[in-house]
Amino acid sequence: MGFLLTDEQRDFGRSLDAMLTAADTPAAIRARAGGDAGPARALWARLAEAGVFALAVPEEYEGMGPLPVETAVAFEELGRHAAPGPFAETVASAALLSALAEAGTDAPAKRLLPALAAGETVATLCAGPGPYAADADLADVVLVVDGDRLLLAPGHGAVRESADPARRLARPEEGGELLAAGPAVVAAAERARRWAALATAAQCLGLGRALLDRTVAYTKQRTQFGVPVGSFQAVRHRLADVLIGLEFARPLLHGAALTMTDADVAAAKVTAGEAAYAAARAALQLHGAIGYTEELDLSLWLRKARPLRDTWGTPAECRAIVLAAAPLRRHDDPHDGPLPKGVWGVTVPARSAP
């Protein structure tokens, strides 16, 4: 597939990069980790002004979308700067409400989508398989998909920390207002999970690129035996492997944004997630002992890599979805049975060995 971003899409990404650089995102991350959500909310407002949250909202609800390619561009920059907040969950909530409106249940969309697009409302979404919602303590709206019901949770339980210090997990409180029910909710939740996975894959790509850039810069400065450690062949090969992994992930991400199929999004998610995790491991090793210190801003990126890799589709779940969609199974094998469907949030049985 031949695909290149347009000049407008590249300019959009560059403008977000400049804005997030000027906003001192590491300070917002550290404040959020310390319990102060003010800088993160201020950053959220600036991103809303740039139109980030309107990308997944249809025009009839005061949005600009749905625009999955532009969303991928924006979320790559959010990952590059390790921005704190339930970004993927808010975009997924917008996709869910939009899908419900298309299916004939437009009351929740009319009520919530304009505020989501404007950045006035921060949303998070609990749509399985786990019982937790990300950053519920930062969100104004906590949506819960319970089977074929969509609920507006009345609140959330105790907040738990994750490996990422700027990301909190909490169980939504039971009950709440019923927004919609029926098969349309199930289909809308599937679309929401795809959008969340695409956005998270883009964040992984940006995060991995930031880790690589920081590590390359560091290995040019640190010297051993009178020369930069980056001149050693072993270091160069390690960094080249990271770069190749990230560059392989990029076309998969853009292709997934064009098709938005389960298999393409899963392929992008697993490839970008693994590339970002490999970048984090390389960065930790090549920074030496200082890579372990929390005082170094590098730790803010390092600790985000694994949660992003595993949320909205673990590598195993994504690989199962890709394999389930691949027309490689031998139909004459009695042990194969029917091909399983790839469903986000639900463990898909692994294929039998060929």
Side-chain angles (χ1 to χ4, degrees):
M1 175 184 293
F3 176 79
L4 291 174
L5 296 177
T6 64
D7 290 341
E8 290 77 11
Q9 290 164 340
R10 293 178 185 276
D11 289 343
F12 179 52
R14 282 192 285 266
S15 68
L16 289 178
D17 180 31
M19 188 269 282
L20 289 165
T21 300
D24 192 9
T25 310
I29 300 170
R30 293 188 184 282
R32 169 69 175 146
D36 178 10
R41 292 297 296 244
L43 183 62
W44 191 279
R46 296 183 68 173
L47 290 167
E49 291 178 3
V52 170
F53 306 114
L55 297 174
V57 177
E59 292 182 3
E60 56 264 41
Y61 301 106
E62 302 181 22
M64 297 186 294
L67 299 171
V69 174
E70 284 74 8
T71 298
V73 171
F75 273 72
E76 183 177 344
E77 297 306 324
L78 293 177
R80 188 191 303 275
H81 292 271
F87 297 109
E89 289 74 18
T90 291
V91 165
S93 298
L96 187 154
L97 295 170
S98 301
L100 278 178
E102 291 174 13
T105 306
D106 61 356
K110 290 179 178 177
R111 175 179 168 187
L112 298 173
L113 279 182
L116 287 180
E120 297 167 356
T121 295
V122 179
T124 190
L125 174 66
C126 181
Y132 296 103
D135 295 312
D137 57 322
L138 190 64
D140 306 299
V141 169
V142 180
L143 296 175
V144 179
V145 176
D146 181 14
D148 63 351
R149 299 188 305 157
L150 176 64
L151 300 164
L152 182 61
H156 61 83
V159 175
R160 302 179 59 176
E161 296 181 356
S162 76
D164 177 3
R167 181 172 179 265
R168 310 296 174 83
L169 300 174
R171 287 176 181 266
E173 291 182 355
E174 294 184 359
E177 180 183 350
L178 179 65
L179 296 179
V185 172
V186 178
E190 284 300 309
R191 183 190 292 187
R193 293 183 187 109
R194 280 196 298 276
W195 274 79
L198 179 78
T200 308
Q203 283 182 286
C204 288
L205 183 59
L207 183 89
R209 189 68 209 203
L211 285 165
L212 176 62
D213 291 345
R214 285 171 175 266
T215 307
V216 169
Y218 179 74
T219 56
K220 289 180 178 177
Q221 296 173 355
R222 182 186 169 193
T223 60
Q224 195 170 37
F225 308 118
V227 297
V229 297
S231 64
F232 299 148
Q233 190 176 51
V235 173
R236 287 185 173 188
H237 284 187
R238 184 75 186 273
L239 293 172
D241 287 342
V242 172
L243 176 62
I244 290 170
L246 293 169
E247 290 305 309
F248 276 0
R250 187 179 301 280
L252 291 177
L253 175 68
H254 292 162
L258 284 175
T259 67
M260 289 302 287
T261 64
D262 274 342
D264 287 349
V265 173
K269 176 66 172 56
V270 66
T271 307
E274 295 287 33
Y277 191 52
R281 289 188 297 176
L284 183 64
Q285 182 182 28
L286 297 180
H287 274 78
I290 66 170
Y292 290 92
T293 60
E294 291 193 2
E295 290 77 8
L296 191 69
D297 279 350
L298 181 75
S299 67
L300 305 178
W301 277 257
L302 286 175
R303 296 176 67 177
K304 215 173 184 65
R306 185 155 186 172
L308 282 180
R309 187 196 69 168
D310 293 342
T311 191
W312 294 111
T314 66
E317 290 170 339
C318 290
R319 289 191 177 98
I321 292 171
V322 173
L323 288 173
L328 300 176
R329 177 168 290 180
R330 292 180 304 169
H331 295 290
D332 58 345
D333 188 336
H335 300 292
D336 277 351
L339 286 170
K341 293 181 179 179
V343 180
W344 289 101
V346 178
T347 301
V348 179
R351 295 179 62 188
S352 57

